Amino acid sequence: MKEGLFPYIFDVEEFITGSVLGGSAVKRLSAMQAYFSDKDAVQKILADGDPILYEYWEKENTASSRDISFGLTKVFPGKVGPEFYMTRGHYHGDDSVEVYYTLSGHGRLLLMNREGQVMDYEMQKGVVNYIPKDWAHRTVNIGNEPLIFIWFYPSVTVHDYETIEKYGFATVVSTENGFKVKSDVSRG
């Protein structure tokens, strides 16, 4: 069978149990320092090491505009100060949507549109989350085990990570004063 043609087979169980699939990537705290508000906590953690916050694997299919790309993300449990480990978050720079299916763990899906409206949704085993066009999205692990989900999006999708990196996300999930999702957060 030619490379890139379906069916493409991968073992989800290997990813869940910790076996890294070829082509996976990791995001460590050192690469995500700016995304957390407690800079002292970031430096304290980095002084003892550079933990992996999440890893992901993706299969990009670019043979035609009708293709679907897909992948898996594993967000590890942990906190930086009062904030839980999370993904960077991004917009799609076009009219693309995305779908998540949670395989294991417990988390939150944060959504934010360009006008600053924020929504958050539960992520747990068996839950499907739909991300509409023009909504930034970030996942946060609020549990004690890895949050693992599979995702699908049109292969023509353009990912815009720069906007979130520059302006921040208007919501954080933290344990400050008990578990809560806090909106209108300044990342200045």
Side-chain angles (χ1 to χ4, degrees), residues 71-129:
L72 292 160
T73 297
K74 181 191 298 186
V75 184
F76 292 95
K79 291 188 282 187
V80 176
E83 292 179 73
F84 293 96
Y85 283 10
M86 61 185 160
T87 59
R88 292 184 295 170
H90 64 275
Y91 285 99
H92 293 163
D94 53 18
D95 287 341
S96 295
V97 300
E98 193 165 358
V99 174
Y100 290 174
Y101 176 74
T102 304
L103 299 169
S104 66
H106 187 207
R108 305 302 294 180
L109 170 62
L110 305 178
L111 300 175
M112 177 181 73
N113 68 14
R114 295 186 189 274
E115 289 75 42
Q117 182 183 0
V118 173
M119 294 189 283
D120 89 284
Y121 296 95
E122 189 82 21
M123 292 182 75
Q124 60 187 4
K125 184 177 182 175
V127 171
V128 174
N129 296 102

Side-chain angles (χ1 to χ4, degrees), residues 132-149:
K133 68 179 184 175
D134 295 328
W135 285 82
H137 40 289
R138 166 181 283 166
T139 55
V140 182
N141 184 346
I142 62 171
N144 296 319
E145 63 183 81
L147 171 64
I148 302 172
F149 56 97

Side-chain angles (χ1 to χ4, degrees), residues 10 22 28 33 48 52-53 57 64 81 98 104-105 129 141 153 175:
F10 61 91
R28 294 182 177 275
Q33 297 179 56
D48 290 333
I52 296 173
L53 304 186
W57 173 88
S64 82
E98 193 165 358
S104 66
N129 296 102
N141 184 346
Y153 60 82
T175 56

